[in-house]
Amino acid sequence: MYNKFISQLEGSSSVELMLKAEQMRKAGKKVISLAGGEPDFDTPRRIVSKAIESLNNGETHYAVGKGILPLREKIAEKLQKENGILCTSENIIVTPGGKYGVYLAVASLLNVGDEAIVFTPAWVSYCPIIRACGGVPVVSHLQYEDNYKIKEENVIPYITPKTKALIINYPNNPTGKILSEEEAELLRDIAEKYNLYIVSDEIYEKVVFDGKKNISIGSYRSIADKVITVNGFSKCAAMTGWRIGYTAASKEVTDVMYNLYVHTITGISPFVQRASLEVFQCEEEIEEMRTIYESRRNYFTDALDELNGVECRRPEGAFYAWVRFNNARDSKEACRNLLDQHGIIGVDGQSYGEIEHPCVRFSFASNMEVLKEAIEQLKMGQ
Ligand code: PLP
């Protein structure tokens, strides 16, 4: 028999929908795909040039270890300065994408049967990653009516003697919420009291709007040793295809994670790491992309909210519109209608654990023309 944890994992609905859109296009059908979770921008030129330079310099061998030292130093410096997380290069592991960072953290924390609390709506991969590690995802569903705020009652009743960790993700995919100080302090106090780890996925950190800033929970000194911060360059620097991210954790947790890393990854491609150093010189490019996301958000979410039977709040971060279609019975039906009647692909809310409301996630990491076309299509059916 195959591994019982892995053979039963569900697929990723957003990846499946991206593939579906591609197939439909190849078959000559016109589709507006707003399913994917990746920037439509190309990686800034200077990052690409660094990779080419590195390759030309012969950096094509194994880069054994947690990551090249200059990159880990830069990451640690950034985390200290921008996020208030006390760390040095010793606390950093460079990973193949943020996704592997989450996996590394979860695999290193959980024993078989240990529980990890996931707040839904949540990114589609947390529960499968926990299950793949033999852990048990315990889902705490946040309320649409509360704008998905985390309250004590969303955490305490879900804690059992087997609870090892909480997984949080802010700015949030799919809801676009960022962590408020009140929520962060609540989670801090609970983690401290119940001796829990927190895996904090901050991959959308740079995509925030209205001058807001996300709080890094690893900045609280009282729980700093219990937090594994996961971040990366995929979303902020439009580097999804490069597969690079990182973790920041205590020396002890980092050593445990490295035990797994060294036998599964060895090290990240040296030219990818060298190019990633350039991300820290790309503040302007990153800000330019952020500004464009913000103007798309303003246009797209407001236009959606004006449609009859459609409700869309303005997200505070990430690049997703979380849209409630009041005329559909559930989110699967909403998605079917969108595709059949308007040729639009979004991801159903059920995939993120929202079963009470007919919500659909649309990505606005697509250019303005595509977003306008989607709105025109939707208006036609009104
Ligand atoms: N975390 C969240 C919340 C995401 O939405 C994604 C990608 O969609 C990732 C992590 C994965 O990031 P990466 O491409 O760096 O593996």
Side-chain angles (χ1 to χ4, degrees), residues 37 96-100 102 123 126 169 171 173 201 203-204 231-235 240 243-245 320 361:
K99 192 180 261 186
Y100 191 84
V102 174
W123 181 46
Y126 298 128
N169 163 227
N173 171 11
D201 177 350
I203 197 90
Y204 293 97
N231 205 332
F233 309 121
S234 301
K235 315 289 177 173
T240 45
R243 310 312 301 134
I244 187 157
Y320 305 107
R361 191 198 77 170

Side-chain angles (χ1 to χ4, degrees), residues 73-254:
E73 280 174 349
K74 267 279 174 221
I75 292 168
E77 191 187 312
K78 172 248 181 285
L79 289 171
Q80 288 235 44
K81 210 166 71 191
E82 294 181 11
N83 306 82
I85 297 173
L86 273 185
C87 59
T88 69
S89 58
E90 289 286 291
N91 305 99
I92 309 300
I93 298 181
V94 180
T95 58
K99 192 180 261 186
Y100 191 84
V102 174
Y103 171 69
L104 199 58
V106 171
S108 305
L109 293 177
L110 300 189
N111 280 303
V112 173
D114 279 350
E115 295 172 0
I117 298 176
V118 175
F119 301 99
T120 55
W123 181 46
V124 294
S125 291
Y126 298 128
C127 290
I129 287 174
I130 294 165
R131 285 196 201 99
C133 299
V136 180
V138 173
V139 170
S140 165
H141 188 58
L142 306 175
Q143 297 304 306
Y144 181 88
E145 293 80 0
D146 286 341
N147 198 16
Y148 300 117
K149 182 178 176 183
I150 299 183
K151 301 183 196 164
E152 207 172 288
E153 72 217 45
N154 303 118
V155 197
I156 306 288
Y158 296 84
I159 297 174
T160 75
K162 292 199 161 180
T163 310
K164 196 72 166 282
L166 310 171
I167 303 203
I168 61 169
N169 163 227
Y170 294 98
N172 184 266
N173 171 11
T175 66
K177 245 190 69 77
I178 64 172
L179 193 64
S180 69
E181 204 170 323
E182 192 187 341
E183 291 168 299
E185 287 175 0
L186 173 73
L187 292 171
R188 174 199 62 193
D189 295 346
I190 291 173
E192 207 176 338
K193 182 167 173 195
Y194 293 89
N195 197 24
L196 304 175
Y197 287 93
I198 299 181
V199 178
S200 180
D201 177 350
E202 301 176 12
I203 197 90
Y204 293 97
E205 177 206 13
K206 296 277 181 190
V207 187
V208 279
F209 310 125
D210 307 316
K212 290 186 181 165
K213 189 176 186 302
N214 194 56
I215 297 172
S216 290
I217 198 132
S219 62
Y220 291 116
R221 298 290 178 263
S222 59
I223 54 161
D225 279 358
K226 309 289 281 185
V227 177
I228 296 103
T229 303
V230 178
N231 205 332
F233 309 121
S234 301
K235 315 289 177 173
C236 71
M239 292 179 72
T240 45
W242 297 70
R243 310 312 301 134
I244 187 157
Y246 55 86
T247 57
S250 70
K251 176 84 174 59
E252 211 172 293
V253 173
T254 300

Side-chain angles (χ1 to χ4, degrees), residues 13 53 60 134 143 150 172 197 216 234 258 298 322 355 369:
S13 46
E53 190 185 307
T60 55
Q143 297 304 306
I150 299 183
N172 184 266
Y197 287 93
S216 290
S234 301
Y258 189 62
N298 294 349
W322 184 242
I355 46 171
E369 282 67 47

Side-chain angles (χ1 to χ4, degrees), residues 14 17-18 32-41 173-174 204 207 209 235 293 296-297 299-301 304 312 315 317-323 338 344-348 352 360-368 370-372 374-375:
S14 53
L17 284 163
M18 281 161 85
I32 303 173
S33 178
L34 304 176
E38 72 169 327
D40 57 321
F41 301 107
N173 171 11
Y204 293 97
V207 187
F209 310 125
K235 315 289 177 173
Y293 291 134
R296 289 174 184 172
R297 177 207 64 162
Y299 162 72
F300 192 51
T301 59
L304 283 164
C312 181
F319 38 61
Y320 305 107
W322 184 242
V323 193
L338 281 162
I344 298 173
I345 300 185
V347 188
D348 61 283
Y352 303 95
V360 176
R361 191 198 77 170
F362 291 139
S363 164
F364 52 83
S366 315
N367 70 45
M368 204 59 143
V370 175
L371 301 177
K372 285 189 173 155
I375 296 294

